[in-house]
Amino acid sequence: MEYRTIAQASAATLTEKKSEFIAQLFPVKTSEEAIACIESVKKNHRKARHNVYAYIVRDQNTSRYSDDGEPQGTAGMPVLDVLMKNQLTDICCVVTRYFGGILLGGGGLVRAYSGSTSLAVQESKIMVMRECVPVTLTMDYSLYGKVSYILPQYGVLQTDSDFGNNVVLTLLVQSETAEKLKADLTDLTNGQITIETGEKQYADFSEIVKDM
């Protein structure tokens, strides 16, 4: 299993016929966190004409949006659509509009809200979160070359290494390949390797995905 989200908050601004659209993205885990972000933006932009928002969270498979006074279907839904098309979740977007005095019409509003959101997404570091297990390998130095040679074939993340009396490598291994990797390492080393695994978790494998 995998999902895509952003590493940290980001923002972008688009100006359309003197109206300023400020799109802000926030990583969130729950609806409550999303609402807190929305309220914070509203507080910081009290003088803005509109604070349109959309959010998607994995918690209870929830998605919400608001046009915040813009004509129905011209604001919140286009923002949500950009998030969905980029396959993002655990994310909240608030687009603040400072009215420039010129009406944009329905099509203009859709382009401005979706365009500013797209710019903010482009400014973000996208994380590809995959289910994985922490694995600790303990081996003799004579086995290190063999083991380190095959690890990249499994798209693992190495989080730590210790070269003391033995070589100890700490890895994050994608759940779907963990058992095969353990079996292959056992065969490769004739059982002369200690393999310890932890509880399943999610980690960012975006660099691995990019290189594959």
Side-chain angles (χ1 to χ4, degrees):
M1 294 178 61
E2 80 172 39
Y3 66 92
R4 290 160 52 90
T5 190
I6 58 173
Q8 58 204 17
S10 64
T13 300
L14 183 151
T15 302
E16 184 72 24
K17 294 182 179 178
K18 297 184 179 180
S19 278
E20 187 178 31
F21 294 83
I22 306 167
Q24 297 184 73
L25 294 177
F26 305 93
V28 294
K29 293 289 188 184
T30 63
S31 295
E32 290 76 16
E33 287 183 20
I35 291 166
C37 290
I38 295 162
E39 293 304 319
S40 176
V41 172
K42 286 183 175 180
K43 183 178 179 181
N44 292 334
H45 292 278
R46 290 192 187 92
K47 295 183 179 180
R49 178 68 68 90
H50 306 281
N51 284 292
V52 167
Y53 69 80
Y55 66 84
I56 307 170
V57 292
R58 290 182 303 134
D59 181 47
Q60 298 182 12
N61 195 26
T62 303
S63 63
R64 298 282 186 273
Y65 68 88
S66 169
D67 294 314
D68 194 34
E70 294 282 29
Q72 186 175 0
T74 64
M77 191 64 209
V79 172
L80 182 65
D81 190 50
V82 170
L83 302 182
M84 294 176 69
K85 283 182 177 176
N86 282 276
Q87 299 176 306
L88 295 170
T89 190
D90 285 358
I91 189 169
C92 175
C93 180
V94 186
V95 183
T96 300
R97 181 190 182 188
Y98 284 94
F99 185 53
I102 301 173
L103 296 175
L104 300 184
L109 287 172
V110 170
R111 286 191 297 274
Y113 280 107
S114 61
S116 57
T117 304
S118 294
L119 288 174
V121 171
Q122 291 171 28
E123 292 295 318
S124 303
K125 180 187 184 307
I126 305 297
M127 299 193 299
V128 180
M129 306 295 290
R130 290 186 171 177
E131 187 182 82
C132 59
V133 290
V135 175
T136 302
L137 306 177
T138 304
M139 72 202 84
D140 187 79
Y141 277 82
S142 62
L143 300 173
Y144 175 62
K146 290 180 181 180
V147 171
S148 61
Y149 179 77
I150 73 162
L151 289 180
Q153 300 172 31
Y154 288 85
V156 305
L157 293 175
Q158 183 170 315
T159 58
D160 198 9
S161 60
D162 179 16
F163 296 90
N165 292 332
N166 292 300
V167 178
V168 181
L169 302 180
T170 307
L171 317 169
L172 289 174
V173 182
Q174 297 174 60
S175 296
E176 60 189 24
T177 60
E179 289 305 315
K180 187 174 188 311
L181 174 61
K182 288 160 64 176
D184 285 355
L185 287 174
T186 300
D187 289 344
L188 181 70
T189 63
N190 293 318
Q192 301 300 306
I193 188 170
T194 301
I195 304 173
E196 299 173 286
T197 59
E199 297 296 319
K200 288 182 179 179
Q201 62 187 68
Y202 277 88
D204 177 20
F205 279 80
S206 56
E207 291 303 313
I208 301 295
V209 173
K210 185 172 66 176
D211 293 338
M212 293 177 69

